[in-house]
Amino acid sequence: NAGVTQTPKFQVLKTGQSMTLQCAQDMNHEYMSWYRQDPGMGLRLIHYSVGAGITDQGEVPNGYNVSRSTTEDFPLRLLSAAPSQTSVYFCASSYTPGTGGEQFFGPGTRLTVL
Amino acid sequence: GQQVMQIPQYQHVQEGEDFTTYCNSSTTLSNIQWYKQRPGGHPVFLIQLVKSGEVKKQKRLTFQFGEAKKNSSLHITATQTTDVGTYFCAGFKAGNNRKLIWGLGTSLAVNP
């Protein structure tokens, strides 16, 4: 199993550009989520999904869109990049949120917006 | 905003010294999880505690969940340089198992 994979590993954007961060998992996990990590801010939840076709907002959803058309994939779209979105983005998955359980994290995408 | 406070923010120890990080929640948690993130890496799951007053050990690491399920601690005995990293606690609020609430983490540095 590859676990949770994220692409790209690094990305530089100009203000106003759009892009999609890819996340995929091969563990048949129902629950997937996106976090951003900034120095001193810990991990902040952007969006999450409890299954295909179901998504919901987390703590900091503005400027980001998600969709979940399959169990495996959970892409994060930046609609119009801003310097404030410079961050490290992590995708995570787990079996079901209701029972807690281990969150498996991808290796992260380091995004810089100029 | 953050509803799980984690202290200290940083800790610098000599190799062989003990280390403890504490998490306190303003609300009752259904469970508490602990993660370790090495510099430049991603968070890696260490353990989950579910029961009130639960204590679990993993070699030199001891994890506790408070009786009221609002606080937790991670204690490392005789730190080693391999313990370097940031330790995060995270929990689900009781009655809401969809959003994991994270502490800000404790960064541990170990002098050899």
Side-chain angles (χ1 to χ4, degrees):
Chain A
N1 287 352
V4 180
T5 58
Q6 289 184 240
T7 56
K9 284 188 168 55
F10 301 94
Q11 183 71 50
V12 179
L13 293 177
K14 294 182 179 178
T15 297
Q17 287 184 316
S18 63
M19 80 159 294
T20 299
L21 307 185
Q22 301 291 344
C23 174
Q25 52 89 13
D26 60 359
M27 297 173 282
N28 202 31
H29 285 170
E30 291 294 324
Y31 186 82
M32 297 186 74
S33 53
W34 275 102
Y35 291 92
R36 60 177 290 172
Q37 186 174 37
D38 303 293
M41 299 294 288
L43 287 154
R44 292 187 290 171
L45 182 66
I46 304 172
H47 286 285
Y48 66 96
S49 169
V50 298
I54 306 170
T55 64
D56 205 348
Q57 295 181 350
E59 185 185 354
V60 288
N62 292 342
Y64 308 94
N65 274 357
V66 293
S67 60
R68 185 96 179 269
S69 56
T70 67
T71 299
E72 294 77 20
D73 300 297
F74 191 43
L76 177 72
R77 282 183 289 277
L78 278 70
L79 308 172
S80 177
S84 60
Q85 293 178 305
T86 293
S87 188
V88 179
Y89 291 86
F90 289 104
C91 178
S93 72
S94 67
Y95 282 106
T96 57
T99 57
E102 176 179 358
Q103 300 284 316
F104 292 82
F105 282 82
T109 294
R110 283 147 183 81
L111 176 67
T112 300
V113 182
L114 303 175
Chain B
Q2 294 287 346
Q3 298 173 40
V4 174
M5 304 301 296
Q6 191 172 351
I7 57 170
Q9 189 175 0
Y10 303 99
Q11 186 81 55
H12 204 146
V13 300
Q14 287 294 127
E15 190 171 21
E17 291 181 339
D18 292 356
F19 160 77
T20 305
T21 173
Y22 301 90
C23 277
N24 290 290
S25 170
S26 56
T27 59
T28 302
L29 301 172
S30 59
N31 59 32
I32 192 94
Q33 299 177 353
W34 286 91
Y35 292 80
K36 177 182 178 181
Q37 184 177 25
R38 295 183 186 275
H42 58 275
V44 175
F45 177 83
L46 294 176
I47 207 161
Q48 175 173 277
L49 304 173
V50 179
K51 298 177 183 177
S52 170
E54 190 169 12
V55 178
K56 287 188 176 180
K57 292 189 176 184
Q58 290 179 349
K59 297 183 180 178
R60 296 178 293 105
L61 277 61
T62 302
F63 304 84
Q64 292 187 324
F65 199 12
E67 294 288 342
K69 302 183 76 172
K70 287 186 175 182
N71 56 72
S72 182
S73 65
L74 158 59
H75 179 82
I76 302 178
T77 303
T79 54
Q80 300 175 358
T81 54
T82 53
D83 295 325
V84 166
T86 300
Y87 293 85
F88 292 96
C89 63
F92 287 103
K93 286 171 64 175
N96 182 349
N97 288 335
R98 294 191 167 194
K99 294 182 183 180
L100 200 55
I101 306 167
W102 291 77
L104 293 182
T106 296
S107 292
L108 173 64
V110 180
N111 272 355

